[in-house]
Amino acid sequence: MLKCLKNGQLFLILQPLIMQLYPIQAGNFKLDGGAMFGVVPKSLWQRTNPADSSNMIDLAARCLLVENGDRLILIDNGMGDKQSEKFFSYYFLWGDHSLDKSLNNAGFHRDDITDVFLTHLHFDHCGGSVQWNANKTGYEPAFKNARFWSNEDHWNWATKPNKRERASFLKENILPIEESGQLSFIPLPDGDTLLNSELGFDLFFANGHTDKQMVPMIKYKGKTICFMADLLPTAGHVPLAYVMGYDTRPLLTLDEKERFLNMAAEHNYYLFLEHDAINEIITVKNTEKSVRIKDTFSCAEIFN
């Protein structure tokens, strides 16, 4: 906002708000390293993602907050905290990060969120969308003033889950969003990319990990920031054959990852890693061994 004096009177000139990005740490957990790297031998993947004595590797739930004009958009929101102690014991939670603490550190409260964008509906990406009500008799949206964004094909995929993914699509994380009346769908593109979505960023649709996962591509200060979700969980997954055992169509993931990483190398995209506990943002380059990491950055280096 600028002040201007004209004919002895003070005028306020409103300037367009500049987009701001904030990393939001929703918590840390562990998963089996073999499951995270599929058919790749441990002797290879442990070089970048060392495992503990139980073969578990450290992972993050690093979400992204987009402040753009009068919209405050949260991309993914971690596991949440409503599941049982037994449930969380399977995922070996560690560290002291939390969604509320991270939002507060950025200067916000969950009631400030206008939109919650869900890349897909696996529990570690959308569990924070829903919380217990006051007397724990039922569930309610954890962001009472927000629209929740998915797409119709993925929503149908998640609410009528196949046997392979059933344990990842938890109805208590999903159905209360629709019941609240706060659910909206992103339109599906003819190809794999939707330009200039309603939320102000482009979207790449990928089907290898799960049906119609969405990867936001955000134009920010002359750069393109890509929220990689589970198309590229960690920096250790950059080599093309390093595909998660969780993916429903691994050969399709390999093809989608190759196309996206080649595009990222050509255009110097900045890849925001949701699950990498150490590396926050990377760029990639083409080499004689295919795509490899070019540079690694902290969020502070790119966002500030």
Side-chain angles (χ1 to χ4, degrees):
M1 183 179 293
L2 296 178
K3 295 180 181 180
C4 178
L5 191 65
K6 183 178 181 180
N7 296 329
Q9 293 184 321
L10 183 66
F11 292 86
L12 299 179
I13 302 174
L14 296 178
Q15 293 181 303
L17 293 176
I18 298 173
M19 179 189 288
Q20 187 58 256
L21 303 182
Y22 309 87
I24 300 297
Q25 303 282 1
N28 299 314
F29 60 104
K30 293 176 182 281
L31 286 178
D32 183 84
M36 283 298 294
F37 285 92
V39 299
V40 178
K42 181 178 180 180
S43 59
L44 295 179
W45 60 252
Q46 70 176 352
R47 298 174 185 174
T48 56
N49 297 75
D52 65 16
S53 59
S54 299
N55 210 48
M56 309 295 281
I57 64 172
D58 289 346
L59 296 171
R62 183 180 299 107
C63 310
L64 185 61
L65 189 64
V66 182
E67 184 182 18
N68 192 14
D70 59 357
R71 300 185 87 156
L72 196 61
I73 306 164
L74 180 63
I75 302 177
D76 283 356
N77 51 51
M79 291 188 189
D81 58 8
K82 66 183 175 299
Q83 304 299 332
S84 68
E85 183 177 341
K86 180 179 180 181
F87 175 90
F88 287 121
S89 72
Y90 298 140
Y91 302 103
F92 303 90
L93 306 187
W94 59 276
D96 60 357
H97 292 306
S98 76
L99 183 66
D100 286 318
K101 185 188 299 184
S102 194
L103 285 171
N104 182 67
N105 289 341
F108 301 103
H109 184 272
R110 64 175 60 212
D111 292 349
D112 299 325
I113 304 298
T114 62
D115 301 270
V116 175
F117 180 89
L118 301 169
T119 60
H120 60 296
L121 295 167
H122 287 165
F123 67 86
D124 55 319
H125 294 258
C126 76
S129 300
V130 174
Q131 64 188 9
W132 286 106
N133 61 16
N135 55 13
K136 285 198 169 185
T137 58
Y139 301 107
E140 63 185 12
F143 304 91
K144 65 181 183 181
N145 298 317
R147 298 299 302 173
F148 291 81
W149 295 89
S150 182
N151 66 74
E152 190 169 9
D153 281 11
H154 183 66
W155 187 268
N156 291 334
W157 182 270
T159 54
K160 301 169 185 175
N162 58 74
K163 293 178 181 179
R164 181 183 176 93
E165 288 182 276
R166 185 174 297 162
S168 294
F169 291 130
L170 307 181
K171 62 182 184 298
E172 61 268 29
N173 287 339
I174 301 171
L175 298 183
I177 300 174
E178 184 174 34
E179 293 163 359
S180 73
Q182 294 172 236
L183 176 64
S184 293
F185 288 142
I186 294 286
L188 294 167
D190 292 333
D192 58 18
T193 305
L194 177 67
L195 300 177
N196 195 26
S197 72
E198 183 171 339
L199 293 170
F201 43 72
D202 299 342
L203 294 168
F204 179 83
F205 287 74
N207 298 289
H209 177 60
T210 188
D211 203 59
K212 295 297 186 295
Q213 176 184 207
M214 298 184 286
V215 174
M217 303 169 65
I218 303 164
K219 301 292 191 304
Y220 179 72
K221 296 183 179 179
K223 301 179 177 66
T224 299
I225 312 296
C226 302
F227 186 95
M228 294 307 295
D230 280 341
L231 181 60
L232 188 73
T234 75
H237 288 86
V238 167
L240 294 180
Y242 288 44
V243 173
M244 289 191 292
Y246 299 111
D247 287 16
T248 59
R249 307 175 181 111
L251 290 178
L252 184 54
T253 293
L254 197 153
D255 176 65
E256 291 169 338
K257 192 169 76 167
E258 182 175 28
R259 286 189 287 118
F260 196 94
L261 290 182
N262 281 329
M263 187 166 56
E266 179 181 356
H267 298 290
N268 200 38
Y269 291 164
Y270 289 75
L271 309 182
F272 181 100
L273 302 176
E274 184 169 11
H275 285 318
D276 196 310
I278 303 298
N279 304 290
E280 297 179 343
I281 295 174
I282 63 171
T283 55
V284 294
K285 62 183 178 181
N286 278 305
T287 74
E288 57 186 29
K289 291 186 176 181
S290 188
V291 176
R292 291 292 185 267
I293 294 174
K294 178 182 177 184
D295 292 304
T296 302
F297 305 90
S298 69
C299 289
E301 290 177 282
I302 303 301
F303 295 168
N304 295 340

